[in-house]
Amino acid sequence: MTNSEIIDILELTAKLMELHEADSFKIKTYSSAAFNLDRLADRNIADMSPADLTRIPGIGKSVAAKIQEMLETGKLRELEELMDKTPQGILAMFKVKGIGAKKIAVIWRELGIDNLRDLELACQSGQIAKLKGFGESTQQKILDSLVFLKVQAGKIRMDVADALARALRDELVRHFDKVEITGEVRRKTEIVETVRLLVGADSPVAVQQKLNGLDFLTQDVKLSSPFVWRGKAMDVEVRVEIVIVPEERFANGLVLETGAEAHLAQPIAGGGTLLQLALAEPVTTEEELYQKAGLPYIVPEMREGLGEWAWALENTTDDLVTWDHLKGILHNHSTYSDGQNTLEQMALFCRELGFEYLGMADHSQSATYASGLRPDQVERQHEEIDRLNTRFAQENPWRPFKILKGIESDILGDGSLDYTDDILATFDYVVASVHSNLTMTQDKATARLIRAIENPYTTILGHPTGRLLLSREGYPIDYKAVIDACAERGVVIEINASPWRLDLDWRWVRYCMEKGVMLSINPDAHVREGYYDMHYGVAVGRKAGLTRQMTYNALTLAEIEEYLKKRNSR
Ligand SMILES: [Zn+2]
Ligand SMILES: [Zn+2]
């Protein structure tokens, strides 16, 4: 059992106890245990003895015994009992923002509501607002959240979709010669509604039979047709479509199944559209089809019909940023704040992967929930960085590697940064990010960001909207105003590469490039392996047409040091 599985079970148990009005002291025992275990960082709960466990603050003998029970049996009897008394629909209500277990209990008890549909109706009729302790604003919050939940149903994040699509492809290539991932996954969209694959085979009937013989696939017979298998895979809540084309039309199929409608509607030389051409004569490669159409080749990720043709007039595929272009990794956390690996471990792994620099950017002092660094801790970290840098230079004089002193400074409510100027001046660079007071009007949020951008110590604007895909919308901002301010002040904008964020949204990257604003593909790594998230950042960057030239962390160590020296001496 992983730490997070154990913590989830404890949290859910606490919530359900609250719902069923258990003793408040008991509830607190569970919720504070979950909270404290969550702060353990790199220690593995499963490896700890009961005695070790009770040494953690907030963990008494009784909770330690419950953890032991989970580790031995894989479940918690107490939770099972609570689940038995709880309707399925109530569990779904826990996803609604603005109401916790206590309020859900009131709704359930007073109005007998135990599902999302009835909850929505009760909001619309004004019943919820009338409940004691609720009011109009809570009712509105519930309604907003219900809309959000509906919109995201059946959708999954890019990383989840990618893993599913690859697993399907790996399975299907064992049975068919030509198999490829297409659709949104191949276009690298940040959220996926349909996982789509293409199979080239001359007998669609045989393919359908084979597919239905695979036990991880469940067909939706009504939605399927002789050439398209539709259904679900491995119980993931997303639609799966497997399109079957004759082998000699496989390349045509790739173009047809990958491009968005707007892309395929592109007029071609000699009349007609790309779509019509792809439906006509067979080609052997995708490139051949674009060539026949008299169009420049467009990489799969860009086939959205959102300005890729105009982009191709000024750029070529070779200009697009790749993982190999990246020379350093900025915006990372260590055990100094809420990361799981030490500064040294983060640096060694970064060097091992072949990068030239690691930018540390632990949390700043106001971020107490993430153990943000007090000024004395900043000083201590800088001393350690100096020591490590000296060592790295000695170990490898012919191949430079360096840690850059950075910080992820909170942008406070009024837009100021989180340290005094004399401390800010000690960093090589500053990532400025919003982490608190996330509910703001667009005007307020924009003004707050612009004030931070105007701060001379800001080097990079971190995750500009604070969104968490499929779980938090992020505050609204005036993108143009924010990007224009960055252009004016020479501030770089982050593409936060965590598949949860992918923020700045790729749709705004081209506007940044037009304005001369560089983008930094930052993993926001809280553990060494988090560096790999930059693959998602590269994917959405390429989707937007981001070039190596405009990618900040494609600068070499020498170039970035030169850049920072100039910037910091202004
Ligand atoms: Zn952050
Ligand atoms: Zn961060």
Side-chain angles (χ1 to χ4, degrees), residues 336-362:
Y336 274 88
S337 68
D338 61 346
Q340 294 186 32
N341 288 110
T342 62
L343 173 60
E344 184 182 353
Q345 289 169 335
M346 294 297 282
L348 290 177
F349 194 58
C350 179
R351 187 175 71 170
E352 210 173 295
L353 291 177
F355 292 99
E356 297 179 10
Y357 51 93
L358 170 71
M360 277 321 297
D362 273 310

Side-chain angles (χ1 to χ4, degrees), residues 331 333 361 363 408 435 463 496 524 526:
H331 193 167
H333 299 265
H363 286 286
E408 180 176 22
H435 293 113
H463 46 69
N496 190 297
D524 202 351
H526 285 70

Side-chain angles (χ1 to χ4, degrees), residues 33-48:
F35 178 81
N36 284 300
L37 289 174
D38 203 18
R39 299 170 61 91
L40 273 186
D42 55 347
R43 291 177 71 195
N44 201 351
I45 299 171
D47 300 335
M48 296 168 79

Side-chain angles (χ1 to χ4, degrees), residues 49-85:
S49 70
D52 287 340
L53 283 168
T54 49
R55 271 195 285 275
I56 301 167
I59 310 280
K61 271 203 186 124
S62 70
V63 175
K66 301 287 179 192
I67 294 172
Q68 214 55 40
E69 181 192 335
M70 283 185 241
L71 292 173
E72 276 162 23
T73 66
K75 54 191 179 189
L76 186 63
R77 203 164 35 91
E78 197 159 11
L79 176 62
E80 308 272 299
E81 286 168 11
L82 286 162
M83 293 284 265
D84 286 344
K85 323 195 260 188

Side-chain angles (χ1 to χ4, degrees), residues 187 259-267 273-275 302-309:
R187 289 208 309 278
E261 226 174 285
H263 175 80
L264 295 173
Q266 178 67 16
T273 60
L274 183 58
L275 174 76
M302 289 184 81
R303 299 179 196 168
E304 290 286 349
L306 287 175
E308 60 269 31
W309 308 107

Side-chain angles (χ1 to χ4, degrees), residues 221-474:
V221 181
K222 271 194 219 141
L223 291 177
S224 297
S225 69
F227 302 101
V228 187
W229 183 99
R230 290 192 177 90
K232 292 240 147 81
M234 304 170 190
D235 291 327
V236 180
E237 269 309 305
V238 72
R239 239 180 332 189
V240 174
E241 280 186 16
I242 300 167
V243 176
I244 307 152
V245 291
E247 281 196 37
E248 81 272 10
R249 299 197 62 87
F250 193 71
N252 297 60
L254 280 178
V255 173
L256 291 167
E257 294 303 317
T258 302
E261 226 174 285
H263 175 80
L264 295 173
Q266 178 67 16
I268 61 171
T273 60
L274 183 58
L275 174 76
Q276 286 165 331
L277 186 72
L279 287 169
E281 47 189 314
V283 289
T284 47
T285 64
E286 292 181 277
E287 285 84 351
E288 189 189 329
L289 193 78
Y290 282 87
Q291 205 168 23
K292 272 196 173 163
L295 293 169
Y297 177 72
I298 302 288
V299 295
E301 34 296 39
M302 289 184 81
R303 299 179 196 168
E304 290 286 349
L306 287 175
E308 60 269 31
W309 308 107
W311 178 91
L313 291 176
E314 288 168 16
N315 304 278
T316 70
T317 300
D318 294 337
D319 300 326
L320 287 172
V321 67
T322 66
W323 172 277
D324 291 335
H325 291 155
L326 304 181
K327 294 287 178 276
I329 317 181
L330 302 163
H331 193 167
N332 301 287
H333 299 265
S334 71
T335 46
Y336 274 88
S337 68
D338 61 346
Q340 294 186 32
N341 288 110
T342 62
L343 173 60
E344 184 182 353
Q345 289 169 335
M346 294 297 282
L348 290 177
F349 194 58
C350 179
R351 187 175 71 170
E352 210 173 295
L353 291 177
F355 292 99
E356 297 179 10
Y357 51 93
L358 170 71
M360 277 321 297
D362 273 310
H363 286 286
S364 61
Q365 56 187 353
S366 289
T368 47
Y369 59 90
S371 315
L373 271 54
R374 292 184 318 265
D376 61 303
Q377 292 170 305
V378 170
E379 209 182 312
R380 197 157 57 81
Q381 187 177 61
H382 287 183
E383 283 162 13
E384 188 181 351
I385 291 175
D386 288 337
R387 270 200 306 279
L388 286 168
N389 279 344
T390 310
R391 191 184 108 195
F392 294 149
Q394 284 163 353
E395 281 173 358
N396 247 351
W398 56 91
R399 204 170 169 285
F401 177 83
K402 215 169 156 180
I403 306 172
L404 299 177
K405 295 169 185 163
I407 193 82
E408 180 176 22
S409 170
D410 266 38
I411 298 175
L412 305 180
D414 65 354
S416 55
L417 297 185
D418 199 14
Y419 294 108
T420 54
D421 283 0
D422 58 323
I423 292 172
L424 288 170
T426 65
F427 297 107
D428 294 323
Y429 74 103
V430 173
V431 180
S433 314
V434 168
H435 293 113
S436 56
N437 304 331
L438 299 177
T439 45
M440 290 173 282
T441 62
Q442 178 167 314
D443 287 351
K444 276 225 175 95
T446 304
R448 183 179 179 187
L449 289 192
I450 289 178
R451 173 130 195 254
I453 292 161
E454 286 172 347
N455 189 308
Y457 291 106
T458 300
T459 322
I460 301 176
L461 175 65
H463 46 69
T465 73
R467 76 177 183 188
L468 292 178
L469 292 168
L470 296 177
S471 95
R472 184 170 79 203
E473 256 183 296

Side-chain angles (χ1 to χ4, degrees), residues 471-503:
S471 95
R472 184 170 79 203
E473 256 183 296
Y475 40 86
I477 60 167
D478 180 341
Y479 280 93
K480 279 197 172 160
V482 168
I483 294 166
D484 290 349
C486 287
E488 196 177 313
R489 297 286 171 154
V491 167
V492 175
I493 299 182
E494 161 176 286
I495 296 177
N496 190 297
S498 158
W500 283 90
R501 294 186 181 271
L502 298 170
D503 182 17

